[in-house]
Structure formats: C-alpha cells, structure tokens
C-alpha cells in the first residue's frame, strides 16, 4: 500500500494540463528546478489527497470498531452531514471565512455525534443502535441541509452545492497548514490509544477485565473520529464512502481479525488519491469533484458489502 501510495503521488505530480516527466518532478522537489506548477499547484493537492484520505480511513476504522459494524462510518451515520450543516451555517449566516468554515464544521459534527451517542446510551450502549440512530439522523440532517441551500441567496447556494460534492480542486498551501497539524495531533492521540480500542472491540466484559475505561475511551474515539471528519470537510467538503470502504479493505489486505488503524489509513490515502486522479482524467481538461468519483466507487462497494452481509445472515 505504501508503494502504491507513492506511485499515485508521483503520477499526481506528473499529471496536469501538461505532462511533467518524473525527472522534472524530482528536480522540482529537490529544489534544482523551481517549478511553480509542480511545487505550488500539484504538490499541495497530492499531499491533501494522501493526508485527508488517511484521516478519513482512520475515522472510519474508529467508528467501525466502536459500533462493531462495517456500516458504522462517519458518512453513513450522519457526521459528514452534520459537519456540512455547520459549514452551511457559516456560509449563509456568517461571512464564510476559512476559520468560520472550520469551526462550523467541527461544531456541527460534534453536535450530531453527541446527539447520536447520547441516544445510543439508553438502556446500555449498543453499536447497532448507534448505526440505526445515525442513519436516521443522516436523513434528517440532509433534509435540513437541503432546506438551508434552498433558502440561501443564489450565489451562496451555488457555492454550497458545488462545495458539497467534495473536491480537492484549488487546494493550496495556505489551506493545509492548520488542517495537517490538527490531523497529525488526532492521529497521534488515536495511535496511543489503539491498543485499548482493540481491547474494547473484543467485547465490554473483556475490555473491563483488562482495565479499559470504556466510557472515557468511547468519548475519546468519538472526538477523534469527528475531528478527523470535520477537518477534512472544512477544507474539501464532505467526501463520501472513503471512510466506509478503507477500513474493511485494509483489514482484508492485512488479514487482521479486527480493524487496525494503519491499514485503514494507508488504504484511505490510496483510495482518495486514486479517486482524485480519476476525477482529473475522466473529463479532462475539466476536473470533476473527487466526491463524484468516490461516491460511484463507494456505491459499488456498498452493494457488495450489503450482499455479503445478507448472505452471511
């Protein structure tokens, strides 16, 4: 996966309106050739695809471990929609600056996550209950988002609908400093607690006997998962299905019994970077939003997953 990730990154640096040879790319990266196109236009996009994909993969792994359900991902249980609601409020009510979009996305995702989590705690925590409640919240919040867009001014509505598709078009260095820092802190925090997370995925009784504080661990997992999802949404919009597919694909490639974080992160990076390259090439020179491609790929994956679960049942 690392080799494939690096290969896709190199292809992303070479591909554009004009093809750049690998030699020119390496010269630009080493500083021997000051190519603005490669270093200031293509490199931020490639790094955004890799880092954001890894963040979405980890967020999906967190919620699938939390719910013990392959359907438990941020885009299915409504966290993406909640983060989008917060961003829409920032765009329609406030001036819609980058800081306001980031803050609104995080707050929207946290509010929806808190509501889903608290409702799922009634009569004891249940992963299946969390998924079902999350799907219901996703439908309700999506309806609210549509209402906000319909009530917004035309220019704001057009911008909001375009942004909602999820896109890495136009991402520059100025957009990535704070998001990369936030994601790095969240991933490091989750890596430190990964052992406890896997203990909890074996069952509440086993986790408690091994000294895992389930309440604190679940709260931390929700905060880190929402933080990763909302940070990506604040910059690139809601990118669907990466968080759903990456953990399960990574688990199968690693041959793991649970859902480990590192394979999910690497798979997410590969999926998002690959989807972004397809989005750039499909109707070139027009670059499609990456969310269009990830949704098409994710839809096929979801059909396969549901078919497999039904056969298992």
């Amino acid at each position: 996966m690392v080799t494939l990730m690096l290969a896709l990154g190199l292809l992303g640096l070479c591909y554009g309106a004009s093809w750049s040879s690998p030699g020119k790319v390496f010269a630009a990266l080493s500083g021997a050739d000051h190519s603005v196109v490669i270093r200031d236009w293509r490199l931020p996009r490639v790094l955004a695809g890799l880092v954001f994909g890894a963040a979405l993969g980890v967020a999906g792994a967190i919620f699938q471990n939390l719910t013990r359900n392959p359907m438990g991902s941020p885009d299915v249980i409504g966290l993406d929609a909640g983060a989008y609601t917060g961003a829409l409020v920032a765009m329609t009510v406030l001036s819609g600056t980058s800081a306001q979009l980031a803050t609104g996305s995080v707050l929207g995702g946290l509010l929806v996550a808190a509501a889903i989590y608290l409702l799922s705690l009634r009569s004891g925590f249940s992963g299946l209950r969390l998924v079902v409640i999350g799907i219901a919240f996703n439908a309700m919040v999506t309806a609210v988002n549509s209402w906000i867009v319909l009530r917004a001014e035309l220019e704001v509505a057009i911008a909001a609908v375009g942004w909602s598709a999820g896109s890495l078009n136009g991402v520059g260095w100025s957009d990535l400093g704070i998001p990369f820092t936030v994601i790095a802190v969240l991933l490091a925090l989750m890596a430190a607690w990964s052992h406890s997370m896997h203990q909890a995925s074996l069952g509440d009784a086993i986790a408690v006997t091994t000294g895992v504080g389930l309440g604190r661990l679940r709260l931390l997992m929700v905060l880190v998962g929402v933080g990763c999802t909302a940070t990506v949404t604040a910059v690139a919009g809601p990118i669907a299905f990466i968080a759903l597919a990456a953990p399960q694909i990574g688990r199968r490639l690693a041959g793991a019994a649970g859902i480990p974080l590192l394979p999910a992160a690497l798979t997410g990076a590969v999926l998002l970077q690959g989807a972004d390259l397809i989005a750039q090439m499909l109707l070139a020179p027009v670059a499609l939003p990456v969310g269009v491609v990830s949704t098409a790929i994710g839809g096929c994956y979801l059909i396969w997953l549901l078919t497999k679960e039904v056969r298992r049942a």
Side-chain angles (χ1 to χ4, degrees):
M1 294 304 291
V2 171
T3 302
L4 184 56
M5 183 176 66
L6 295 175
L8 288 173
L10 177 60
L11 180 59
L13 293 175
C14 292
Y15 182 80
S18 60
W19 176 264
S20 300
S21 66
K24 186 175 182 179
V25 169
F26 288 124
L29 295 179
S30 64
D33 182 0
H34 298 284
S35 174
V36 175
V37 172
I38 295 175
R39 298 181 63 175
D40 294 338
W41 294 0
R42 297 179 186 172
L43 183 58
R45 181 172 187 149
V46 168
L47 292 179
L50 297 178
V51 174
F52 290 169
L56 291 174
V58 169
I62 288 172
F63 283 101
Q64 288 180 17
N65 274 298
L66 182 65
T67 61
R68 301 176 204 162
N69 192 311
M71 292 289 293
S73 72
D75 44 352
V76 173
I77 63 176
L79 302 187
D80 278 12
Y84 181 41
T85 303
L88 279 177
V89 172
M91 295 173 69
T92 55
V93 178
L94 305 176
S95 56
T97 63
S98 298
Q100 291 171 351
L101 285 174
T103 304
S105 296
V106 173
L107 291 178
L110 284 175
L111 287 174
V112 171
I116 296 171
Y117 183 68
L118 291 175
L119 287 174
S120 67
L121 286 178
R122 300 183 64 180
S123 303
F125 178 82
S126 169
L128 178 60
R129 186 184 300 118
L130 188 148
V131 171
V132 173
I133 294 173
I135 292 173
F137 261 88
N138 189 26
M140 291 187 292
V141 175
T142 300
V144 171
N145 293 343
S146 299
W147 180 81
I148 293 174
V149 171
L150 290 172
R151 298 287 296 178
E153 296 181 1
L154 181 59
E155 294 80 5
V156 176
I158 292 174
V161 170
W163 184 77
S164 68
S167 177
L168 298 179
N169 297 337
V171 172
W173 289 118
S174 59
D175 304 312
L176 301 180
I178 295 177
F180 278 11
T181 303
V182 172
I183 289 172
V185 172
L186 292 174
L187 295 187
L189 185 63
M190 201 62 240
W193 285 79
S194 61
H195 179 71
S196 297
M197 181 190 72
H198 290 303
Q199 290 292 101
S201 67
L202 297 175
D204 292 357
I206 295 177
V208 170
T209 56
T210 55
V212 176
L214 289 176
R216 181 177 58 181
L217 175 65
R218 286 169 178 161
L219 179 60
L220 174 69
M221 291 171 68
V222 169
L223 291 176
V224 172
V226 172
C228 289
T229 301
T231 301
V232 174
T233 302
V235 179
I239 301 175
F241 287 109
I242 300 296
L244 175 68
Q248 293 297 317
I249 295 174
R251 179 180 72 84
R252 285 170 169 79
L253 290 175
I259 305 175
L261 297 178
L262 183 58
L266 295 176
T267 305
V270 168
L271 287 178
L272 185 55
Q273 181 60 29
D276 187 48
L277 282 170
I278 294 173
Q280 293 180 63
M281 297 175 180
L282 204 57
L283 296 178
V286 177
L288 292 173
V290 66
V292 175
V293 177
S294 68
T295 300
I297 297 173
C300 298
Y301 168 80
L302 183 59
I303 292 172
W304 172 82
L305 179 62
L306 290 173
T307 303
K308 185 171 183 179
E309 291 298 316
V310 168
R311 288 178 179 174
R312 179 182 300 175

